Amino acid sequence: MGRVAVGLAVTVAVAACAVAAVVVGRRVKSRRKWRKVVNVLRELEEGCDTPVGRLKQVVDAMAVEMHAGLASEGGSKLKMLLTFVDNLPNGTERGTYYALHLGGTNFRVLRVHLNGQRSSVLEHDVERQPIPEHLMTSTSEELFDFIASSLKEFIAKEGDGSNISTNRRELGFTFSFPVKQMSVSSGILIKWTKGFSVVNMVGRDVAACLQEALARKGLDVHVAALVNDTVGTLALGHYHDPDTVAAIIIGTGTNACYLERIDAIIKCQGLLTASGRMVVNMEWGNFWSSHLPRTSYDIDLDAESPNPNDQGFEKMISGMYLGDIVRRVILRMSMESDMFELISPKLKIPFILRTPLMAAMHEDNSPDLREVARILKEVFEIPEVPMKARKIVVKVCDVVTRRAARLAAAGIVGILKKIGRDGSGGITGGRGRSNTKMRRTVVAIEGGLYSSYSLFSEYLHEALNEILGEEIAKHVIIKVTEDGSGIGTALLAASYSS
Ligand code: ADP
Ligand code: MG
């Protein structure tokens, strides 16, 4: 070999070594960065951990807070609002009744025909429409005129007009915001939630605003009941199954109500009802306890929200927020590594990832997680996400949803514990311990998160079994009531119009 050839060979070898060193260096760097992603995930898992011991602490905290909220006004973050609903529909109701539903994403008008016999399927008509966004922040007159007009159009479509009754119509108004009720048919708005902020409404009687708007439209319709959506759900649940004792909503927001003994409502001494009971609207979205597993993502989400330190439970559980918790985790991963090659600016936009799309990624069963890649591209404009990053994203969705579902389950058991239906003969409020055997107990449930996200409902059921134990869990039945809040409100209009 000549000198030149040797020289060339050495140069090539050196260059090859240099290239190899760069490649190895990059790999080491990339592995180190990937380790950071894995660490973020591990931290998230630890932060969101909900072993059964911790869930039981949440159960106890819920029961304790319920007591405190019933003992005095402002005694707890749980408002434990009186509803003045002391009788739930039982199937003997007759006639045609209406309901208007304002609360989440859709506005609904309903009509229910009752023949005095409990039927498994209730004959009803319903019309839904999205609430025009500008009305969510308009004036109360504009909002209520829109509602009244919708009812007017709905009524105008009834038959050819010849068989329309000229009698006054009775209507229930489902209004799923916190209201301090004065009676079953009146109540003042405490605060707006879920993105609504109509001016000059807080402190005003919601039913009166509606009644005035109905009059402006020339409608002879009487607002017979003003009802929180959870109470409507409970009413329909009870109509179908008298063992129903509580109702939960898990949709855009979350809330719960249940049937309480009147003597346990200590803050209202002297309150009497024929049944000796009353439905209490817990406003459980605002529940808080130091036992809740809170992460830095929750803290940031809360701090950046329009209502910091408010609705803490809701922000961990409900459909409005889950997608955004996931977005925050992915953003952090992306910032700490080259997981997605570059940091997409879209990752920084709050609420850009909606919970239904997060659920679709979580439930992607394709072998190459095609749906995950598609959604990451569609929502965040991140192209060609590598397989291992797709897997991590699915895992993040899993951790966030599992925690939400398990906490919701703990909340439910907290209610059961408060009313002595958790099989432990635990706190029964007022009259000491009951030793009665576990009775069949039905909880009505409604809302898109529970009914459309099957992994969420599976995790919720799994946690109920873990907390209660299989023997007792057998007696607790979770029943989905579709359109329950609206139909139930019409049923309450029937009960309370006479
Ligand atoms: P609302 O709570 O607004 O009255 P719904 O009970 O229908 O209405 O719940 C709608 C919410 O449920 C949505 O905001 C969304 O967060 C959640 N949701 C709806 N569909 C799905 C789905 N397929 N997967 C996960 N969450 C869903
Ligand atoms: Mg709803």
Side-chain angles (χ1 to χ4, degrees):
M1 211 189 292
R3 236 185 238 171
V4 175
V6 171
L8 195 64
V10 169
T11 313
V12 168
V14 168
C17 283
V19 168
V22 168
V23 169
V24 169
R26 271 209 198 131
R27 269 206 204 133
V28 169
K29 216 166 159 192
S30 137
R31 217 173 287 153
R32 211 176 289 146
K33 283 194 169 171
W34 187 252
R35 219 176 291 140
K36 282 195 178 165
V37 171
V38 174
N39 281 341
V40 172
L41 177 63
R42 201 168 300 146
E43 233 175 70
L44 177 76
E45 283 175 317
E46 281 168 15
C48 291
D49 199 19
T50 48
V52 71
R54 175 170 254 194
L55 292 180
K56 286 183 177 172
Q57 288 173 320
V58 175
V59 169
D60 290 343
M62 182 65 82
V64 166
E65 290 299 317
M66 290 171 75
H67 271 277
L70 291 173
S72 64
E73 206 68 62
S76 162
K77 291 204 95 168
L78 290 181
K79 286 215 159 64
M80 305 301 283
L81 300 169
L82 303 187
T83 63
F84 296 90
V85 171
D86 53 354
N87 260 315
L88 289 168
N90 57 19
T92 58
E93 298 78 8
R94 284 175 175 279
T96 298
Y97 296 89
Y98 296 79
L100 292 170
H101 181 117
L102 179 73
T105 33
N106 283 306
F107 171 72
R108 275 166 269 179
V109 190
L110 298 98
R111 176 177 40 235
V112 180
H113 306 285
L114 304 168
N115 61 8
Q117 283 159 352
R118 173 184 284 135
S119 56
S120 54
V121 185
L122 262 175
E123 200 192 323
H124 74 281
D125 314 289
V126 57
E127 255 181 41
R128 292 159 223 268
Q129 50 182 315
I131 299 159
E133 221 169 295
H134 72 275
L135 288 181
M136 292 167 68
T137 51
S138 64
T139 64
S140 64
E141 282 74 20
E142 279 179 274
L143 176 66
F144 283 96
D145 279 347
F146 162 78
I147 296 172
S149 300
S150 305
L151 178 66
K152 192 169 184 177
E153 282 167 31
F154 184 77
I155 288 176
K157 285 185 218 149
E158 277 172 5
D160 56 4
S162 58
N163 59 352
I164 291 183
S165 131
T166 48
N167 291 341
R168 185 170 78 162
R169 292 175 168 83
E170 297 290 340
L171 169 133
F173 185 27
T174 326
F175 186 76
S176 37
F177 301 95
V179 163
K180 183 174 167 57
Q181 304 249 176
M182 277 92 71
S183 70
V184 80
S185 60
S186 64
I188 57 172
L189 176 65
I190 296 173
K191 63 176 180 186
W192 286 113
T193 55
K194 295 177 277 192
F196 277 75
S197 63
V198 172
V199 288
N200 291 340
M201 267 302 293
V202 171
R204 282 174 68 191
D205 181 358
V206 179
C209 289
L210 175 60
Q211 193 69 71
E212 285 160 20
L214 294 172
R216 282 198 293 275
K217 299 284 166 197
L219 286 168
D220 188 15
V221 176
H222 172 236
V223 183
L226 173 65
V227 178
N228 183 268
D229 54 351
T230 55
V231 181
T233 302
L234 180 59
L236 182 64
H238 194 270
Y239 174 91
H240 286 310
D241 188 334
D243 287 333
T244 309
V245 294
I248 315 292
I249 304 253
I250 315 181
T252 306
T254 185
N255 190 14
C257 74
Y258 73 108
L259 207 48
E260 181 57 280
R261 289 203 330 266
I262 205 86
D263 62 352
I265 308 176
I266 295 161
K267 64 182 173 185
C268 287
Q269 289 279 331
L271 200 64
L272 282 176
T273 62
S275 65
R277 301 192 294 179
M278 186 182 284
V279 176
V280 173
N281 166 16
M282 293 174 61
E283 289 297 329
W284 90 349
N286 201 35
F287 169 66
W288 190 254
S289 154
S290 58
H291 297 298
L292 291 172
R294 198 182 202 205
T295 66
S296 59
Y297 309 104
D298 302 303
I299 293 170
D300 293 347
L301 184 149
D302 180 55
E304 292 163 28
S305 71
N307 55 344
N309 291 318
D310 208 22
Q311 301 294 96
F313 197 47
E314 179 164 88
K315 284 171 180 160
M316 285 187 167
I317 286 184
S318 78
M320 181 153 175
Y321 303 100
L322 296 191
D324 203 55
I325 300 175
V326 168
R327 175 194 67 83
R328 286 167 186 276
V329 181
I330 302 178
L331 171 62
R332 163 113 184 266
M333 287 175 161
S334 172
M335 283 174 30
E336 294 208 357
S337 72
D338 50 3
M339 178 182 183
F340 303 126
E341 310 278 317
L342 68 162
I343 303 169
S344 160
K346 296 264 171 177
L347 274 170
K348 296 186 177 160
I349 302 177
F351 297 100
I352 192 171
L353 178 61
R354 297 275 167 197
T355 300
L357 285 180
M358 165 210 168
M361 293 201 286
H362 190 190
E363 299 186 324
D364 182 0
N365 287 324
S366 65
D368 55 347
L369 300 177
R370 215 172 311 140
E371 192 61 5
V372 176
R374 189 189 65 76
I375 291 169
L376 289 173
K377 189 169 175 187
E378 180 187 303
V379 177
F380 298 122
E381 294 172 0
I382 305 172
E384 318 281 323
V385 176
M387 187 59 187
K388 65 176 179 179
R390 296 180 200 183
K391 283 187 182 162
I392 289 267
V393 168
V394 173
K395 187 67 198 164
V396 172
C397 298
D398 188 67
V399 172
V400 170
T401 289
R402 187 163 182 272
R403 176 184 71 162
R406 290 171 71 81
L407 291 178
I412 294 172
V413 180
I415 299 174
L416 299 183
K417 179 163 193 158
K418 170 69 185 70
I419 56 175
R421 298 272 194 140
D422 66 334
S424 70
I427 313 166
T428 52
R431 277 202 200 130
R433 290 173 177 266
S434 90
N435 292 315
T436 47
K437 156 169 165 285
M438 184 67 199
R439 281 157 61 192
R440 182 173 177 276
T441 296
V442 180
V443 176
I445 196 160
E446 188 176 328
L449 195 67
Y450 181 87
S451 57
S452 307
Y453 192 171
S454 49
L455 283 171
F456 182 95
S457 54
E458 273 173 37
Y459 282 143
L460 190 150
H461 284 261
E462 193 177 82
L464 280 178
N465 278 329
E466 278 178 41
I467 304 169
L468 290 167
E470 303 230 332
E471 256 329 289
I472 290 167
K474 266 190 239 159
H475 301 273
V476 176
I477 297 129
I478 306 286
K479 263 199 195 173
V480 176
T481 60
E482 213 167 307
D483 266 329
S485 48
I487 300 171
T489 297
L491 294 173
L492 287 169
S495 309
Y496 285 95
S497 59
S498 43

